Amino acid sequence: MPRRINLAHLRSALISPVISLLLCLLLLPVPASAQGTSRADLGAPDLENFPQVEAYLDVDDGRGGFIKGLQTDHVRIIEDGNILPITELIEMNPGVQFVTALNPGPALGVRDNQGVSRYDFVKQHLAGWASNRMGSTLDDLSLIITGGKEISHTPDPAEWLEVLQSDQVNARSANPSLDTLFRAVNLASDVPPRPGMSRVVLFITPAPDTQASQALESLISQAQQQGVVIYVWMVSSAGTFPTVGMKRLTDLAEQTGGQILTYSGAETLPDPEEFLASMRRIYQLRYQSAIRSSGDHQVIAQVQIGVEQFESSPKNFTLELLPPQPAFVNPPIEILRKAVILSESQPATGTNTGALSDQENSSGSEPLAGYEPKEQSLQVVFDFPDGRKRTISRSALLVDGVIVAENIEPPYDQFAWNVESYLNSGTHQIQVQAWDSLGLVGSSIELPVRITVEKSRLDVWAVVRRNLPILIMLAVLLTGAILLLVLVLGGQLRPGVTRAGRQKRRGVDPVTEPVVVQEEPASSHRPGWVNRLQWPQRHITPKAYAFLSKISEADEPSDAPPMPISTDEVTLGSNPNQVTLVLDDPSIEPLHARLVRSDDGAIRLSDEGSIAGTWINYAPVSQSGMKLEHGDLIHIGRVGFRFTLRKPGKVRKPVVTLQTLAVKSAAGEMKPDETDTSEERQS
């Protein structure tokens, strides 16, 4: 009789070996990243020394091993699509910023046949790694335990190990939380003690539930932005491995460049040193950027090793580039040019090339050697509004829109303005332009400068000495004319009789001659023509009505020349675009204070809401202002001045008052009729 086959038993016999095989495969460590493909990871560009850009480059062989020995010709930079060579490639060993995050739960509390829990076994494994790192301070170590102790950023493995061994968390009753992983990523994102350190998180956890694992999506983006590599050790029973939570943890490890492995208690845990050793090494590269405009930019590192070529993920960054902004330091308001007279022993030509010609010296004075000063020194400063200081390659001084001085080599902040050609008074506009190393050009605001030329006064004796022959001739002619007039008026000479005699000798009959009608002599009155002459009007040059003399921090006068105040309103500050008087000091606001002269001549100083404040005689000045007197002491921030008037009026004097000791009398310390003879000086 044929044997009946039980299909149920047959199905069970076939499925059981398959399940066993799958469980064995699941028990093996599962690396998450692809193997055998080289990978490059470029860090965020450092633009502090722009246009020189620095960045860190991590290159591994796809199996977690660092590729050593790269040279500058192995790496190129692709910046906004343009291929640029790197100027320097340095292999470094800065260490790792390593954060271990323990997330105990009931799955880690399961014990083996010897009574050792999975959680205790994991801690023993980590303790062995820390013991092997004793004496090394290369890494930055942190430890976070859910519901337990923690330590942050210590270079000493002994301190890290002490916290780990003192942990008393009961894994069976612990409540695991993904908040520990979020805290670990934030801790790894802190500024490392050394630039170029890799950021690594080792997360040891049971399998998360589906609801908790949904929060991992946002954590992946944060870890990628901060360059944090996450390794995951998921501890659980074999049957719980293929879950949604494991899929989320696998994505987290893969997309941050780490790996995930599963541990049920029977496998061998890897040594953290296996992945930390390669993470400690990194390349630092430098290249000269070709960017010359503000905006968003992108950079990629391209690595060529033999026939293999691979690129890093793009790094996007925003760059702001603005032209330099030059400004004058204490520019002159007026330049006074005075005449220089040649001495008698110094001829006007030949020995002095600066002597003016007779046509130029039209005032009729003594020969002039010229006018002084012949040049005016100007000092400028250069500011970079984008915050990136660069070298200046060229600067130029413009007067009335024309370049009069230029610096094509250092120093670029000093100019000598030649004013020899200015022989007449007038106002001129000065401006400075600057070119930086990127070719960007910036200009200062135009400032008016008054040039006053004082002509030499008329010297009569000098005119006489120069024109003595002509004057003698004129004197002789004038003397002869006067003598002739005296002879005619005295009757010694009669021009009419002589003419009649000549007529008689010619036989002319006076009867037949026409009668000459004598016209009435013209009136001797002459109009006031002198008053109608157009005399040249003298130009009145505005003069300073007050001065600011700079003093030292000890309130002592300094050697700097006083600054004249000639306008009714003067603004003081550090921004040349907002003020008329620039003060170069860190305590000075862009618009710090304002000095105003009213119609009645009163001068008030007001503060413009500055932080360092404005002071008169050590008393703070509000925005409503305070009246200034001759000799007052002014402080604009930390910069001190002595205020003086061209025509001083009254000077602020100390006030002396007598105070009665009514309070002392009330306290019984003195008799009621006693008075205090102490004086209080108030300013």
Side-chain angles (χ1 to χ4, degrees), residues 338-348 352 355-356 361 363-372 454-459 462 465:
K338 295 183 178 181
V340 178
I341 308 298
L342 283 174
S343 62
E344 294 184 0
S345 60
Q346 185 178 9
N352 193 331
L356 299 181
N361 185 22
S363 62
S365 62
E366 292 184 353
L368 298 180
Y371 293 92
E372 293 290 347
E454 288 189 352
K455 301 294 185 178
S456 60
R457 293 175 297 179
L458 182 63
D459 190 341
R465 289 194 297 269

Side-chain angles (χ1 to χ4, degrees), residues 19 42 64 86 88 104 133 286 292 316 396 400 418 473:
I19 294 177
L42 183 66
I86 64 172
E88 192 173 6
R133 297 294 300 169
R286 295 185 178 94
R292 295 297 181 266
N316 299 318
D400 298 330
N418 190 334
M473 184 180 297

Side-chain angles (χ1 to χ4, degrees), residues 619-642:
V621 178
S622 65
Q623 294 188 3
S624 60
M626 183 182 295
K627 186 177 180 181
L628 286 171
E629 301 289 351
H630 178 74
D632 280 351
L633 191 63
I634 297 175
H635 282 87
I636 310 297
R638 296 187 304 180
V639 182
F641 298 95
R642 177 70 68 179

Side-chain angles (χ1 to χ4, degrees), residues 369-571:
Y371 293 92
E372 293 290 347
K374 296 182 179 180
E375 66 179 23
Q376 174 68 41
S377 298
L378 297 173
Q379 179 78 26
V380 297
V381 293
F382 303 105
D383 183 32
F384 292 90
D386 55 19
R388 294 181 176 85
K389 290 188 176 181
R390 303 179 290 275
T391 58
I392 299 296
S393 59
R394 178 188 169 198
S395 61
L397 175 66
L398 289 79
V399 178
D400 298 330
V402 179
I403 295 179
V404 298
E406 188 175 13
N407 294 323
I408 58 176
E409 60 183 17
Y412 299 104
D413 58 349
Q414 298 177 13
F415 291 96
W417 178 16
N418 190 334
V419 296
E420 280 189 284
S421 60
Y422 299 94
L423 302 177
N424 297 304
S425 300
T427 301
H428 304 273
Q429 304 291 328
I430 63 173
Q431 187 184 35
V432 64
Q433 289 183 343
W435 289 256
D436 64 12
S437 57
L438 299 181
L440 302 179
V441 185
S443 302
S444 69
I445 61 174
E446 289 188 337
L447 296 178
V449 177
R450 176 72 184 178
I451 296 182
T452 302
V453 181
E454 288 189 352
K455 301 294 185 178
S456 60
R457 293 175 297 179
L458 182 63
D459 190 341
V460 178
W461 294 112
V463 175
V464 172
R465 289 194 297 269
R466 293 178 59 188
N467 302 286
L468 186 59
I470 298 176
L471 292 177
I472 293 176
M473 184 180 297
L474 291 176
V476 171
L477 294 177
L478 181 60
T479 302
I482 294 175
L483 179 59
L484 180 60
L485 180 60
V486 170
L487 292 177
V488 171
L489 294 178
Q492 300 297 323
L493 293 177
R494 297 182 180 180
V497 176
T498 304
R499 183 169 57 184
R502 289 198 299 270
Q503 292 175 353
K504 289 181 180 181
R505 287 195 295 269
R506 291 198 302 266
V508 178
D509 188 359
V511 179
T512 62
E513 288 294 310
V515 179
V516 179
V517 180
Q518 298 292 332
E519 296 181 358
E520 184 179 356
S523 174
S524 61
H525 174 72
R526 295 183 179 179
W529 55 271
V530 176
N531 296 327
R532 294 200 301 269
L533 288 179
Q534 297 298 321
W535 297 96
Q537 300 296 320
R538 182 180 179 185
H539 182 79
I540 300 176
T541 302
K543 295 185 178 180
Y545 59 85
F547 300 89
L548 291 178
S549 302
K550 193 170 183 181
I551 60 176
S552 64
E553 294 184 358
D555 295 344
E556 297 294 334
S558 67
D559 296 334
M563 291 180 285
I565 306 298
S566 59
T567 58
D568 291 337
E569 182 175 346
V570 176
T571 52

Side-chain angles (χ1 to χ4, degrees), residues 636-650:
I636 310 297
R638 296 187 304 180
V639 182
F641 298 95
R642 177 70 68 179
F643 176 78
T644 56
L645 294 171
R646 179 181 289 275
K647 295 180 179 180
K650 63 178 182 179

Side-chain angles (χ1 to χ4, degrees), residues 258-292:
Q259 293 180 345
I260 183 173
L261 63 85
T262 58
Y263 176 68
S264 63
E267 298 82 13
T268 301
L269 290 173
D271 188 352
E273 197 65 20
E274 293 179 4
F275 57 84
L276 290 179
S278 62
M279 300 291 290
R280 290 192 181 97
R281 306 197 68 84
I282 201 168
Y283 288 101
Q284 182 185 39
L285 63 84
R286 295 185 178 94
Y287 75 95
Q288 289 296 121
S289 174
I291 298 175
R292 295 297 181 266

